[in-house]
Amino acid sequence: MRSLSSKTILAAAGLILCAASSLATAPSAEAQGRTTGRLEMPWQKGKCPYGWNREKDSAFCVPFMAVKPTPAVYVRQNKTVACDQGYFVDTVNDLVCTSYDLLTARFADRPDGIARAGILNRCPTGWQASNNNKQCFTEIKNAPAPRLKNGKPCAPGELDDWGIWCTSSYEHLSYAEVDLASVRDFNTIYANAMNDGLDYNSIPSGLSPDAKAFFKGADKSSDTSSAASASTSEPATKAAECTTGSDVGAAIGGALGGRTGAALGGALGGLGKKKKKSGC
């Protein structure tokens, strides 16, 4: 039998090492994240990540159509395994890694943002306050178009949002979409007001009266969809009304991780007493 040359042996060894290196560094298919289909949670009661919703009577999460674009997500093996590059710990379920970057979406100035009308003032329908307290922004595709009312009556067909904004181009949206933005808007403004020692009890919750009248009347979803929407929005609204500084701090600190998360989480963790409402 002919013996292999030393060069042949070295070349073969190199190919083996190269293949092993590729296997070690290539991300798994699961780690690529998914934006469609059904995401199986490890426990029956595992919470769905941001942008995903519980599929009825199952342990699966499916994309929540009110959030666009859908964040790419995957379930990591345990909480000690770091999320892959480009993914972040989800703020709803910390066993899930998500492409939704809380820091970029909620703290930084956004090129598509509009200036806040006042530190205690709500944003227009479909829009939400940024945590830097400077802007209103929206995650809704083809979002409503707001303008400052400036003390003048809104035009026919425009929503008079809180006596501050005149909002148009909202008719194509669902109640679930604008309600979700409204809950987040209230949560952020409320938390910032607590942190700054302002009158957070004066901040109105829910949709503006004009928006509430339109979307409640225009909501033609089935009883099943309405029940699902209610089960999602009502607890969220109650959570908004009962939010404490430590809750906000923990969520933000956990999302960012490391020293940055600890600093921001600690800063927001002492926001003060929660708003007193029945049922809290």
Side-chain angles (χ1 to χ4, degrees), residues 95-118:
L95 198 61
V96 174
C97 294
T98 175
S99 62
Y100 180 74
D101 183 358
L102 181 71
L103 180 62
T104 299
R106 309 302 270 275
F107 281 84
D109 281 328
R110 296 168 62 99
D112 56 347
I114 58 175
R116 291 275 305 281

Side-chain angles (χ1 to χ4, degrees), residues 4 25 38-39 47 54 68 70 103 105 119 138 146 170 188 192 205 223 236 241-243 251 269 279:
L4 296 174
T25 58
R38 304 163 79 219
L39 176 70
K47 295 180 180 178
R54 173 74 60 196
K68 298 294 182 184
T70 301
L103 180 62
I119 197 168
T138 182
Y170 54 85
T188 303
N192 284 332
S205 62
D223 293 340
E241 295 172 350
C242 302
T243 298

Side-chain angles (χ1 to χ4, degrees), residues 130-212:
S130 61
N131 276 359
N132 66 9
N133 246 6
K134 297 178 181 179
Q135 293 181 304
C136 294
F137 72 95
T138 182
E139 296 175 328
I140 297 176
K141 188 176 181 180
N142 297 324
R147 63 181 179 85
L148 285 172
K149 184 177 178 181
N150 289 325
K152 299 179 181 178
C154 293
E158 289 183 318
L159 298 177
D160 183 336
D161 282 330
W162 311 111
I164 301 170
W165 309 92
C166 292
T167 307
S168 59
S169 302
Y170 54 85
E171 296 87 351
H172 60 287
L173 300 177
S174 68
Y175 173 79
E177 288 177 295
V178 295
D179 184 56
L180 183 66
S182 172
V183 169
R184 290 182 178 150
D185 183 48
F186 175 86
N187 281 352
T188 303
I189 297 173
Y190 181 79
N192 284 332
M194 290 176 68
N195 189 39
D196 295 335
L198 302 176
D199 182 15
Y200 50 83
N201 286 296
S202 67
I203 303 168
S205 62
L207 296 172
S208 70
D210 269 19
K212 186 180 295 183

Side-chain angles (χ1 to χ4, degrees), residues 44 54 234:
Q44 179 67 31
R54 173 74 60 196
E234 288 176 10

